Amino acid sequence: MAKKGKVKNKRSKRKKRLIFFLWLQLVLVMAVLGAVLYYYAGGYAKKVSVLHDEAVSFVQKSSPETFRQNETSIAYDVNNEVISVMKGEKDVYYVEYKYMPAYLTQAIVSIEDKRFFTHHGVDYKAIVRAVYAMFRNGEVTQGASTITQQLARDVFLTQDRTWERKIEEIYVAYELEKKYSKDQILEFYLNNIYFKNGYYGIEAASQGYFSKTAGDLSLSQVAFLCAIPNNPTYYDPLLYPEHTMDRRNLILKNMRSDGILSESTYEE
């Protein structure tokens, strides 16, 4: 009798679990349908369509020259000596991808967007990971924007934190990935990101902080500069060098974990 009672209880529990699962599925389906109805009835579909069309237009009209605007001009004399440097509102020098040290692109990808060479503009795994971390820690502790999304925001959009800008950023990123190669996107990105204290792009930052060209940077200096763009105020090398150094160390550690650096190179 006791055995029969146990079997009956197990069946009852299974039945309850099945009913709960079915109800949960029904609630989720109703929630999705409600969201879809709200999306269309509330006019969001039209807004998103406009954002998509605008993003496509931005990228279609762009060319490599779009990412070189506001470049700092240098005047030389007949002996190739610098006689004046003419800056606009920004101190911007442009360096082509082929002249960038390999460690530079490896470092920025390692810390900012590990899946850069495999995604198509948006990294959904990173988004899920960031949302999970936010719920676990009770605050935003990880970013989910790819390098392509950051480029889209810096060149074509604004820094406003609205759903409209985020949606358009995703669309622009997709279009950029369709039009330009990964190497071109990295080149555009490293020449446009902000390194604090008026320096835009890796060449301006290299000359401003280390008085040398980007091609002459050491591995340590590369990692140091790549630490800044994530949060230029917090990682400002002039005001908070300890913050910059901590992130530099993290970048080097990531590069070692990713197999870019050997243990001896990392230690050195």
Side-chain angles (χ1 to χ4, degrees), residues 115 119-131 144 146 149 170 174:
R115 287 164 44 81
H119 65 62
H120 299 290
V122 180
D123 187 350
Y124 292 105
K125 285 186 178 179
I127 293 173
V128 171
R129 194 165 58 245
V131 170
T146 63
Q149 284 177 262
I170 289 171
Y174 271 128

Side-chain angles (χ1 to χ4, degrees), residues 92-95 100 187-193 200-202:
V92 184
Y93 298 86
Y94 198 91
V95 56
M100 292 179 180
E187 178 183 311
F188 300 153
Y189 175 77
L190 285 164
N191 278 292
N192 282 278
I193 49 175
Y200 286 81
I202 188 63

Side-chain angles (χ1 to χ4, degrees), residues 109-241:
V109 167
S110 182
I111 192 65
E112 291 292 333
D113 187 0
K114 284 185 186 295
R115 287 164 44 81
F116 174 73
F117 289 103
T118 57
H119 65 62
H120 299 290
V122 180
D123 187 350
Y124 292 105
K125 285 186 178 179
I127 293 173
V128 171
R129 194 165 58 245
V131 170
Y132 173 74
M134 181 181 71
F135 281 112
R136 184 186 62 199
N137 301 316
E139 60 179 345
V140 177
T141 56
Q142 293 183 21
S145 290
T146 63
I147 282 174
T148 318
Q149 284 177 262
Q150 292 176 50
L151 176 65
R153 184 168 64 237
D154 290 343
V155 175
F156 298 102
L157 306 174
T158 67
Q159 301 296 322
D160 297 341
R161 298 193 174 203
T162 62
W163 71 266
E164 292 97 335
R165 197 228 64 208
K166 194 65 180 178
I167 291 294
E168 192 165 18
E169 175 188 302
I170 289 171
Y171 281 138
V172 172
Y174 271 128
E175 295 303 316
L176 285 171
E177 293 268 346
K178 285 194 277 184
K179 183 166 183 175
Y180 300 106
S181 70
K182 290 289 187 179
D183 288 355
Q184 283 179 301
I185 289 170
L186 273 177
E187 178 183 311
F188 300 153
Y189 175 77
L190 285 164
N191 278 292
N192 282 278
I193 49 175
Y194 186 41
F195 287 88
K196 195 61 180 173
N197 299 299
Y199 303 127
Y200 286 81
I202 188 63
E203 187 67 20
S206 179
Q207 293 189 30
Y209 292 119
F210 294 114
S211 301
K212 58 171 68 173
T213 65
D216 293 329
L217 291 171
S218 68
L219 169 58
S220 178
Q221 291 167 338
V222 162
F224 184 87
L225 292 181
C226 286
I228 304 169
N230 181 265
N231 188 334
T233 299
Y234 185 80
Y235 295 114
D236 183 344
L238 302 186
L239 293 180
Y240 310 108

